[in-house]
Amino acid sequence: MTTIAIDGPAAAGKGTLSRRIAEVYGFHHLDTGLTYRATAKALLDRGLPLDDEAVAADVARKLDLSHLDRGVLSAHEIGEAASKIAVMPTVRRALVEAQRAFARRQPGTVLDGRDIGTVVCPDATVKLFITASPEVRARRRYDEIIANGGTADYDAVYEDVRRRDERDMGRADSPLRPAENAHLLDTSEMDIEAAFLAAKSIIDAALKH
């Protein structure tokens, strides 16, 4: 069984890369960030409170990870709700257990998030930490919003990326950091094709052993 753990900050390109890797190797893919969003959406849909940890954890334990709709779950209000429940220890524990169960699927899995290599799958076959400068990540996020017909202010997007980095790296529970044996991949100067080829060569080398 092969598990590929891909971590990194917001807008570093890890989601696009992870989906491509899973497709090429024929593995199952899980964007672990969507598990928090799906839990938040379930609470919102049922009119349940977002500040009751026991209720949120119960919903998290019953989540079906095989039907996570990225398009639906990317809504801004769901993201806001997800950030409130993501800091709850029992919710995190419930979702980490679900993510670990997903990682055991055959023939292999690709999980991307912020604590896959350090917390969720510390024994992963391959660990990648995908990063890029905050300026590049903000530009990518800005371009994506514009390309999808939205409106955005680059400075506001940059500030949002910077704030998110501070929150992710500074939190007490599962802070964002590279695992000790992770391969670092800085995509600041790479397009998606170059990043994919660099990641693939690392994975291929690891799978040969």
Side-chain angles (χ1 to χ4, degrees):
M1 184 183 68
T2 301
T3 304
I4 299 172
I6 301 182
D7 292 303
K14 66 182 182 295
T16 308
L17 203 54
S18 301
R19 289 191 293 277
R20 177 99 178 263
I21 288 166
E23 190 182 343
V24 167
Y25 289 93
F27 291 169
H28 303 279
H29 171 249
L30 179 64
D31 174 346
T32 59
L34 293 183
T35 65
Y36 291 93
R37 285 174 172 264
T39 302
K41 183 177 186 299
L43 290 166
L44 292 170
D45 287 351
R46 295 179 211 171
L48 296 170
L50 292 171
D51 56 359
D52 189 320
E53 190 165 343
V55 169
D58 187 55
V59 168
R61 278 190 282 271
K62 294 170 180 164
L63 200 62
D64 178 6
L65 300 191
S66 54
H67 300 291
L68 300 177
D69 187 327
R70 167 178 305 280
V72 172
L73 295 174
S74 61
H76 180 71
E77 64 274 14
I78 293 175
E80 290 294 306
S83 68
K84 290 175 184 162
I85 62 156
V87 297
M88 299 174 174
T90 50
V91 172
R92 295 192 73 84
R93 277 198 295 276
L95 291 178
V96 164
E97 283 309 310
Q99 291 159 14
R100 283 176 179 157
F102 183 94
R104 291 192 286 271
R105 293 187 182 187
Q106 297 288 1
T109 52
V110 180
L111 282 77
D112 74 80
R114 293 191 176 30
D115 60 353
I116 311 302
T118 51
V119 175
V120 181
C121 300
D123 299 323
T125 320
V126 188
K127 298 177 188 178
L128 297 174
F129 192 87
I130 312 297
T131 189
S133 72
E135 293 79 10
V136 167
R137 290 185 285 120
R139 173 61 59 188
R140 286 175 185 165
R141 178 63 51 87
Y142 171 84
D143 289 345
E144 185 184 18
I145 295 167
I146 300 302
N148 289 331
T151 54
D153 172 67
Y154 171 80
D155 292 333
V157 174
Y158 174 80
E159 200 50 43
D160 185 53
V161 164
R162 201 185 56 74
R163 265 200 314 269
R164 193 150 169 200
D165 283 353
E166 277 180 9
R167 193 172 66 212
D168 288 341
M169 293 172 187
R171 67 175 179 230
D173 190 6
S174 310
L176 170 67
R177 60 183 173 81
E180 283 180 13
N181 53 348
H183 298 270
L184 290 176
L185 193 58
D186 188 323
T187 66
S188 298
E189 304 290 325
M190 297 181 185
D191 60 14
I192 187 61
E193 190 60 30
F196 168 72
L197 291 173
K200 187 174 184 299
S201 69
I202 293 167
I203 294 165
D204 286 346
L207 296 185
K208 279 194 182 118
H209 292 301

